[in-house]
């Protein structure tokens, strides 16, 4: 099914903005997606008509707010094919979800245990595990990447990376820099064969493709609302209920308790055990609207549209002299983030020139400094598309990059 891009873009008023005399070309969706008016309206309606705290107030507004919050939980569970809504824990973002995973699983680590990540991880899937290993005395190990930006699976076998000492494997499903889609189900099977828990950072996957957490084979999966047309301030940690029920609380406070005495406390079952204090209620209403919106468009159609854009973008950018693409140069097992460098031009300069031409991209190390160091780049420029992106916007990006290259490095000019 082909997307009606014109109709979709009408749902995103911000895409009608202009930057000076030029139309806005938004190619920074891997950083945060734009929001359709349906999501904005849902948040506004909640605040204007249903605002109250959840699970506390016994009046009408309290009941409506609680239903909105728990309704969002049910919607997210269905969206990723969770077995039950109680497997959905709301956090403030994916970083908090990964910290929750590292803190609670880390409480079970001991000296001699090993945690496995990869060099392509976002800092949010590196630093929490470093902290967990520092606290416990466990050892942190990692997958390397090949020169073309894939996980070095053969090297991992040679190094016996996943072994009987491995207690946790935590990997990104789709790299936020390289776009590489990792074989998570295969690695999860290896992890489970040695009794390890599999954690997945799905921040760059869930917004872009149909997701079935059961088929994925993971034990914990983290993602965030603001990259999937939802609001900022809400993220998700999905977990197998049996595992969540074994884990200790991450934070203490209201609503995560069962009984509190001055000498000790007992804790609520999941998911409330992990949701201390007032949760992101209005944000949950917005995320519910985002899930409904994406479902109405069709996740398979969104994935096909992005595959087409990625193929087209790789061809357009790959034909520019002096431009080096980071990661796979073919749209096979690849997401829509395209990171690259122009020879002799700093990514911040590229970003600034493109911004002057109305094109919003990101320049820097994209919270993945170890990956850039491994690939021999100080930083990079990243363009990332979504369901509302057009081929014409990819053309505008390519033209602006040629202009930027020739401005800073005239030797490439005609």
């Amino acid at each position: 099914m082909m997307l009606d891009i014109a109709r979709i873009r009408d749902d995103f008023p911000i895409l009608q903005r202009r930057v000076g005399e030029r139309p806005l070309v938004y190619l920074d969706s891997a950083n945060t997606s734009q929001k359709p008016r349906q999501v904005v309206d849902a948040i506004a309606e909640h605040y204007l008509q249903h605002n109250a705290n959840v699970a506390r107030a016994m009046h009408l507004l309290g009941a409506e707010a609680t239903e909105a919050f728990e309704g969002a939980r049910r919607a997210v569970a269905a969206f990723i094919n969770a077995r039950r809504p109680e497997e959905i824990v709301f956090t403030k973002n994916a970083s908090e979800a990964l910290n929750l995973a590292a803190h609670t699983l880390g409480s079970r680590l001991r000296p001699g245990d090993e945690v496995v990540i990869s060099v392509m991880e976002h800092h949010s899937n590196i630093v929490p595990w470093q902290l967990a290993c520092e606290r416990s005395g466990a050892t942190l190990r990692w997958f390397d990447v090949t020169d073309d930006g894939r996980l070095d699976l053969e090297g991992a076998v040679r190094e016996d990376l996943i072994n009987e000492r491995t207690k946790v494997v935590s990997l990104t499903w789709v790299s936020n820099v390289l776009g590489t889609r990792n074989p998570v189900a295969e690695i999860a099977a290896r992890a489970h064969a040695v009794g390890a828990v599999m954690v997945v950072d799905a921040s760059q996957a869930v917004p872009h493709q149909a997701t079935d957490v059961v088929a994925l084979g993971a034990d914990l999966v983290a993602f965030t609302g603001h990259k999937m047309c939802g609001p900022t301030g809400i993220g998700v940690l999905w977990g197998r209920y049996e595992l969540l029920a074994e884990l200790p609380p991450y934070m203490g406070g209201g609503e995560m308790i069962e009984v509190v005495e001055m000498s000790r406390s007992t804790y609520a079952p999941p998911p409330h055990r992990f949701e201390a204090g007032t949760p992101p209620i209005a944000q949950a209403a917005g995320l519910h609207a985002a899930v409904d919106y994406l479902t109405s468009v069709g996740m398979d159609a969104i994935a096909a549209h992005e595959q087409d854009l990625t193929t087209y973008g790789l061809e357009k950018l790959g034909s520019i002299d002096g431009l080096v693409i980071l990661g796979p140069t073919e749209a096979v097992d690849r997401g829509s983030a395209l990171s690259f460098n122009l020879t002799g031009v700093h990514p911040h300069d590229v970003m600034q020139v493109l911004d002057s031409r109305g094109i919003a991209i990101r320049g820097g190390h994209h919270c993945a400094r170890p990956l850039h160091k491994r690939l021999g780049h100080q930083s990079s420029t990243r363009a990332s598309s979504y369901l509302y992106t057009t081929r014409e916007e990819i053309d505008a990006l390519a033209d602006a990059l040629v202009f930027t290259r020739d401005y800073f490095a005239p030797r490439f000019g005609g």
Side-chain angles (χ1 to χ4, degrees):
M1 182 178 72
M2 297 291 291
L3 296 186
D4 185 344
I5 300 300
R7 182 186 63 79
I8 288 172
R9 288 177 68 85
D10 283 343
D11 292 332
F12 294 82
I14 199 170
L15 299 180
Q16 309 307 315
R17 284 200 60 181
R18 299 187 71 83
V19 181
E21 298 300 316
R22 299 176 183 271
L24 170 67
V25 174
Y26 187 77
L27 293 172
D28 198 19
S29 291
N31 195 359
T32 193
S33 70
Q34 294 302 336
K35 323 303 176 192
R37 64 176 74 249
Q38 292 88 334
V39 169
V40 178
D41 289 346
I43 297 169
E45 180 185 0
H46 175 82
Y47 277 130
L48 295 174
Q49 299 294 332
H50 311 292
N51 184 51
N53 215 328
V54 298
R56 292 174 173 85
M58 294 298 104
H59 46 67
L60 175 64
L61 295 183
E64 290 175 347
T66 299
E67 174 54 29
F69 188 67
E70 296 303 329
R73 197 190 307 277
R74 293 191 295 271
V76 172
F79 188 66
I80 61 172
N81 197 38
R83 288 193 174 98
R84 52 195 290 191
E86 293 84 2
E87 294 182 326
I88 302 299
V89 177
F90 284 130
T91 62
K92 70 174 181 287
N93 48 40
S95 293
E96 184 179 69
L98 290 165
N99 273 271
L100 192 164
H103 187 89
T104 55
L105 291 173
S107 68
R108 311 197 300 193
L109 296 174
R110 299 292 180 268
D113 292 342
E114 295 181 355
V115 174
V116 174
I117 58 174
S118 83
V119 76
M120 73 167 63
E121 302 305 313
H122 189 283
H123 296 166
S124 293
N125 203 30
I126 297 176
V127 178
W129 299 109
Q130 291 174 336
L131 294 172
C133 288
E134 288 172 6
R135 286 191 297 264
S136 64
T139 299
L140 186 66
R141 303 182 68 193
W142 51 87
F143 283 87
D144 196 2
V145 294
T146 61
D147 291 339
D148 65 348
R150 306 283 186 184
L151 279 186
D152 187 357
L153 300 176
E154 293 181 359
V157 172
R158 289 195 303 271
E159 296 173 10
D160 193 26
L161 187 64
I162 298 176
N163 58 65
E164 69 279 358
R165 296 180 299 278
T166 306
K167 302 303 178 186
V168 179
V169 178
S170 189
L171 294 178
T172 184
W173 190 356
V174 177
S175 168
N176 72 310
V177 176
L178 306 175
T180 308
R181 180 175 286 108
N182 290 322
V184 169
E186 174 187 335
I187 295 170
R190 295 189 194 180
H192 292 154
V194 298
V197 173
M198 184 74 197
V199 182
V200 175
D201 176 3
S203 299
Q204 300 291 340
V206 170
H208 303 279
Q209 63 191 65
T211 298
D212 183 333
V213 291
V214 176
L216 189 62
D219 300 293
L220 297 171
V221 176
F223 57 100
T224 192
H226 74 94
K227 297 183 191 295
M228 52 185 289
C229 296
T232 56
I234 187 166
V236 175
L237 180 68
W238 168 84
R240 287 190 301 103
Y241 189 83
E242 298 77 13
L243 175 59
L244 292 177
E246 296 174 0
L247 297 177
Y250 175 48
M251 296 187 294
E255 298 309 321
M256 52 74 64
I257 54 86
E258 185 179 58
V259 176
V260 175
E261 303 286 354
M262 291 307 297
S263 58
R264 62 184 296 272
S265 298
T266 56
Y267 310 117
H272 304 295
R273 176 182 303 176
F274 306 105
E275 295 178 350
T278 297
I281 306 166
Q283 291 89 338
L287 182 57
H288 190 165
V291 165
D292 287 348
Y293 183 83
L294 292 173
T295 301
S296 70
V297 174
M299 294 307 299
D300 289 341
I302 291 171
H305 174 67
E306 292 191 32
Q307 180 80 1
D308 174 73
L309 288 175
T310 301
T311 301
Y312 187 69
L314 287 169
E315 292 173 355
K316 293 287 290 189
L317 270 58
S319 67
I320 298 174
D321 289 340
L323 187 145
V324 177
I325 294 174
L326 279 62
T329 55
E330 295 183 355
V332 178
D333 291 328
R334 199 189 198 292
S336 57
L338 299 176
S339 295
F340 52 88
N341 274 315
L342 284 174
T343 302
V345 187
H346 194 281
H348 288 172
D349 292 328
V350 176
M351 182 171 58
Q352 187 172 5
V353 174
L354 265 61
D355 182 54
S356 72
R357 297 171 67 90
I359 301 173
I361 59 167
R362 184 172 178 184
H365 54 53
H366 320 305
C367 298
R369 186 176 183 274
L371 175 60
H372 280 85
K373 183 177 180 180
R374 163 64 181 85
L375 296 175
H377 293 263
Q378 186 270 337
S379 55
S380 65
T381 308
R382 183 185 69 192
S384 49
S385 59
Y386 202 16
L387 74 163
Y388 39 67
T389 307
T390 67
R391 280 193 171 203
E392 290 74 19
E393 291 179 313
I394 303 298
D395 291 338
L397 169 67
D399 291 344
L401 288 172
V402 170
F403 173 87
T404 304
R405 178 202 66 188
D406 294 346
Y407 179 82
F408 283 101
R411 65 184 179 277
F412 287 105

